[in-house]
Amino acid sequence: MMRHIPSSTSESTLDDFDADQVQPNAIDLKIDKIFKLNNKTFEISETTKVHRGSELLMPGRNDSWDLPVGIYEIIMQGEISIGPNEAGFIITRSTLNRNGLFITSGLYDSGYNGVMAGALHVTGGPAIIQRGARVGQFLLFEAESLNQYSGSYGSGSNHDA
C-alpha cells in the first residue's frame, strides 16, 4: 500500500518542503546539488567498495547548471527519515522523462535518515536545470521490515560540499 509522507498515517518525514510539492500520490523533490562523476574505476565486491568519486558543479547564470549529455550524481533538497515499517524510492518526473532525462536511485530502507540522492542520466541532448527545480518524486509504501537500515550513506560522509 502506498503512503504519503505528509499524511497522518505515515511514520516517515521529509523536512524542507512546500505545499506546492505535494502531489496526489507522491511528493515532488527539488534538486539542490549536482556532481560530475570522475572517470576513475569503480570497484565492488563482497569486501570492497571503492567509489569513483565526483566533483561538485557550481551553478552558473540564473542559479542553473548547463549539463551536456552524461551521468551526474544529484542531491535533493531536504533530508528524509523513513519510518520503521515503510520504504520508498525516487522516480523521475514525467517532464524530464519526455525530454530524455532519467533519475535512478536505490531503495530507501526502513530506518534510513539523511539526504536523498540518485543518478541523473542526461541522454536526449544538453539540458539546463535550475537549482530548486522539481525533478523527481518520492514514492513511499508500507513495507515489512526485518531490521532497520544500518549503513552510512545518509550520514553526510559521502558529500560534505
Side-chain angles (χ1 to χ4, degrees):
M1 176 171 110
M2 283 186 58
R3 295 210 172 138
H4 211 304
I5 287 179
S7 169
S8 62
T9 64
S10 172
E11 297 183 61
S12 299
T13 59
L14 176 64
D15 67 5
D16 194 27
F17 72 90
D18 302 319
D20 68 328
Q21 290 173 252
V22 178
Q23 299 301 319
N25 298 107
I27 192 157
D28 285 342
L29 300 175
K30 295 181 178 183
I31 195 163
D32 186 40
K33 296 177 184 172
I34 298 180
F35 297 83
K36 177 68 175 156
L37 295 176
N38 292 332
N39 193 22
K40 296 180 182 174
T41 300
F42 167 71
E43 180 182 350
I44 191 165
S45 71
E46 289 301 312
T47 59
T48 305
K49 187 179 346 178
V50 180
H51 293 276
R52 68 177 80 246
S54 59
E55 176 185 330
L56 178 65
L57 298 177
M58 300 307 295
R61 61 180 168 76
N62 299 324
D63 206 21
S64 297
W65 294 276
D66 292 306
L67 302 175
V69 169
I71 301 172
Y72 304 86
E73 182 179 2
I74 59 173
I75 306 288
M76 305 300 180
Q77 291 178 353
E79 292 194 4
I80 196 160
S81 177
I82 305 294
N85 293 303
E86 297 174 336
F89 56 93
I90 298 172
I91 63 169
T92 312
R93 289 193 75 221
S94 60
T95 300
L96 275 73
N97 277 336
R98 290 191 309 267
N99 285 282
L101 284 80
F102 308 96
I103 295 172
T104 54
S105 181
L107 180 70
Y108 288 82
D109 286 311
S110 301
Y112 175 82
N113 293 289
V115 300
M116 301 180 75
L120 175 65
H121 306 258
V122 179
T123 65
I128 298 172
I129 300 178
Q130 188 174 46
R131 177 182 274 150
R134 294 179 294 157
V135 296
Q137 291 185 315
F138 186 73
L139 302 181
L140 181 69
F141 50 91
E142 187 176 330
E144 179 180 18
S145 302
L146 299 180
N147 54 43
Q148 299 297 291
Y149 178 80
S150 63
S152 62
Y153 186 82
S155 67
S157 61
N158 290 353
H159 290 296
D160 296 324

